[in-house]
């Protein structure tokens, strides 16, 4: 058995046994050094059989004392580690009701326990968010699927005719949008973290294209946009496009007759606002509008505004909503690019 095998064998034993074995080995080494010094360095020293026996007895007594020394030395280490192991078993089995063993000590053991306690809190939050995620997704997907199924059954029963196709098409689009947003959320962190996709682009061109695309809507809502030149920003173009598409979709959902888009550039930033003439947002809703899975009246999945806030925040901008006397305005600030034309 080589020294590596002995080392691995020792690691499998309890800490108290490990410390006792190491103390005993150090004692043997010190004893051999003392005997070597007496025999070879001190002249005239001789040992008889009678003098060796007390030394052996003393050695055995010290070895026995090492057991108590090891036990007392590791008492404050082994006890919290055993409790931590018990609590980690609860976490492994998703038993979130048992908190991690807490201590006020500031040494390495205390730092370890505090770190594990924070991990438990983070895992608990992730677990709760995961449960809420599945509930929200299932609810958001279940509604259009139920409408499509009921519409098909009504069509076969002769209740619906050509209007059934329109309903199915509408709900299918709702499902498609919801699934795209769910997939977008899962890839959002990776996409934003890839700064190689950053580029300088014309904000006016992006808003003009978005306004043109949303003009041909089923509600016949008018989209007013006055173009502005020489406004460039830097970032992930696809992500910024998603922000404005989400805001336009939200405005179109609640607008009565028109949507107004304005761009106000400043020296370092650009302010883009999208205003619709819909009903005001309740004050309680304003504070939760950009939270994940929060759905207002008429909303579907509660992801559009959440995604928009994440993207704008990543680009070191700001986004907010406010009620006006004649509608609701969404405002977005983004940094202007230093290489503007």
């Amino acid at each position: 058995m080589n020294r590596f095998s002995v080392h691995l064998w020792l690691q499998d034993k309890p800490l108290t046994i490990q410390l006792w074995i190491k103390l005993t080995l150090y004692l043997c080494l010190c004893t051999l050094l003392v005997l070597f010094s007496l025999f070879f360095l001190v002249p005239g020293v001789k040992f008889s059989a009678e003098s060796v026996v007390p030394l052996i007895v003393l050695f055995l007594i010290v070895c026995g004392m090492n057991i108590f020394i090891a036990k007392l030395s590791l008492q404050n280490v082994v006890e919290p580690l055993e409790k931590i192991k018990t609590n980690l078993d609860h976490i492994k089995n998703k038993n979130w009701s048992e908190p991690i063993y807490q201590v006020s000590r500031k040494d390495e053991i205390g730092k370890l326990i505090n770190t594990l306690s924070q991990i438990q809190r983070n895992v608990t939050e992730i677990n709760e968010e995961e449960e809420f995620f599945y509930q929200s997704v299932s609810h958001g997907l279940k509604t259009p699927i139920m409408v499509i199924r009921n519409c098909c059954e009504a069509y076969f029963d002769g209740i619906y005719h050509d209007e059934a196709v329109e309903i199915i098409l509408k709900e299918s689009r709702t499902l498609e949008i919801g699934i795209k947003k769910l997939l977008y959320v899962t890839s959002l962190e990776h996409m934003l973290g890839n700064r190689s996709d950053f580029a300088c682009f014309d904000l006016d061109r992006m808003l003009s294209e978005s306004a043109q695309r949303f003009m041909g809507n089923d509600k016949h809502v008018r989209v007013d946009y006055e173009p502005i030149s020489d406004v460039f920003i830097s970032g992930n173009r696809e992500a910024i496009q998603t922000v404005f598409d989400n805001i336009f979709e939200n405005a179109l959902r609640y607008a009565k007759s028109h949507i107004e888009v304005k761009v106000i550039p400043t020296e370092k930033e650009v302010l883009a606002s999208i205003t619709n003439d819909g009903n005001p947002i309740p004050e309680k809703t304003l504070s939760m509008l950009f939270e994940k899975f929060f759905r207002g009246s008429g909303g579907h999945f509660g992801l559009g505004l959440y995604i928009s806030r994440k993207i704008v925040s990543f680009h070191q901008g700001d986004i907010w909503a406010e009620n006006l006397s004649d509608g609701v305005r969404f405002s977005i600030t983004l940094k202007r690019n230093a290489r503007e034309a």
Side-chain angles (χ1 to χ4, degrees):
M1 182 180 292
N2 57 38
R3 63 188 185 93
F4 297 105
S5 300
V6 173
H7 181 68
L8 294 175
W9 172 84
L10 191 60
Q11 286 184 339
D12 294 335
K13 301 299 179 286
L15 289 177
T16 303
I17 301 300
Q18 291 186 40
L19 182 57
W20 176 76
I21 292 176
K22 290 181 179 180
L23 288 175
T24 303
L25 290 176
Y26 294 151
L27 176 63
C28 292
L29 180 60
C30 292
T31 303
L32 291 175
L33 289 175
V34 170
L35 293 176
F36 176 83
S37 301
L38 291 176
F39 273 113
F40 295 97
L41 300 180
V42 180
V45 176
K46 295 182 180 179
F47 286 94
S48 61
E50 291 79 8
S51 61
V52 172
V53 173
L55 291 176
I56 296 176
V57 173
L58 180 61
F59 177 79
L60 294 176
I61 292 174
V62 174
C63 288
M65 292 179 60
N66 283 342
I67 297 178
F68 296 99
I69 294 173
K71 187 174 181 61
L72 291 174
S73 300
L74 294 175
Q75 184 175 0
N76 292 332
V77 175
V78 174
E79 182 179 355
L81 289 178
E82 289 177 347
K83 292 184 178 180
I84 290 175
K85 178 185 177 302
T86 302
N87 285 300
L88 288 177
D89 288 337
H90 291 309
I91 295 177
K92 180 181 67 176
N93 298 323
K94 293 190 175 183
N95 181 5
W96 314 112
S97 59
E98 295 291 337
I100 285 284
Y101 173 66
Q102 297 289 318
V103 294
S104 58
R105 54 198 293 177
K106 303 298 182 181
D107 57 5
E108 289 80 1
I109 296 296
K111 292 178 181 179
L112 172 63
I113 293 174
N114 292 333
T115 301
L116 290 174
S117 179
Q118 183 62 48
I119 291 174
Q120 185 201 32
R121 288 194 293 270
N122 293 342
V123 171
T124 302
E125 292 175 1
I126 293 172
N127 183 69
E128 292 175 352
E129 184 175 336
E130 184 181 83
E131 291 180 358
F132 184 62
F133 173 83
Y134 288 127
Q135 291 173 2
S136 301
V137 170
S138 61
H139 182 272
L141 296 177
K142 182 170 61 178
T143 301
I145 291 175
M146 181 181 64
V147 173
I148 292 174
R149 185 183 63 188
N150 292 340
C151 189
C152 291
E153 292 175 353
Y155 176 80
F156 286 121
D157 293 338
I159 301 174
Y160 285 164
H161 297 286
D162 292 340
E163 63 269 23
V165 178
E166 297 180 2
I167 297 174
I168 293 174
L169 183 60
K170 178 183 177 181
E171 296 301 323
S172 298
R173 288 173 178 169
T174 301
L175 273 176
E176 182 182 9
I177 292 172
I179 291 173
K180 284 182 178 179
K181 287 183 177 179
L182 288 171
L183 295 175
Y184 197 90
V185 168
T186 58
S187 62
L188 186 59
E189 298 294 339
H190 172 73
M191 183 189 69
L192 293 179
N194 188 7
R195 292 184 176 271
S196 62
D197 293 336
F198 275 35
C200 177
F201 59 90
D202 187 356
L203 181 62
D204 171 71
R205 181 178 178 181
M206 175 181 288
L207 287 175
S208 297
E209 293 174 353
S210 296
Q212 187 69 31
R213 191 165 62 252
F214 282 92
M215 281 181 185
N217 56 82
D218 298 336
K219 296 176 64 177
H220 305 290
V221 172
R222 188 177 77 255
V223 180
D224 297 328
Y225 173 61
E226 183 177 348
I228 183 170
S229 59
D230 296 332
V231 177
F232 293 83
I233 61 175
S234 179
N236 186 308
R237 194 182 194 285
E238 180 185 350
I240 298 296
Q241 181 71 68
T242 300
V243 172
F244 287 111
D245 286 349
N246 289 339
I247 301 300
F248 270 111
E249 287 177 8
N250 186 82
L252 184 62
R253 185 179 302 125
Y254 298 103
K256 296 177 181 178
S257 61
H258 76 276
I259 297 172
E260 184 180 15
V261 184
K262 287 185 178 181
V263 176
I264 304 175
T266 62
E267 183 179 354
K268 296 183 178 180
E269 292 183 332
V270 55
L271 171 65
S273 64
I274 301 175
T275 307
N276 68 82
D277 61 347
N279 295 325
I281 302 173
E283 291 299 324
K284 292 183 179 179
T285 303
L286 276 175
S287 61
M288 301 182 292
L289 204 57
F290 296 94
E291 292 183 5
K292 195 174 185 180
F293 297 121
F294 176 79
R295 293 190 298 269
S297 60
H300 296 294
F301 294 90
L303 289 173
L305 295 181
Y306 165 78
I307 291 173
S308 300
R309 186 190 65 178
K310 290 277 289 185
I311 294 173
V312 172
S313 297
F314 180 80
H315 286 81
Q316 298 180 344
D318 196 10
I319 181 171
W320 69 94
E322 57 186 328
N323 290 318
L324 304 177
S325 59
D326 56 349
V328 177
R329 179 167 61 201
F330 282 82
S331 301
I332 301 170
T333 59
L334 293 167
K335 291 187 174 182
R336 297 184 70 173
N337 190 271
R339 298 178 299 165
E340 288 190 15

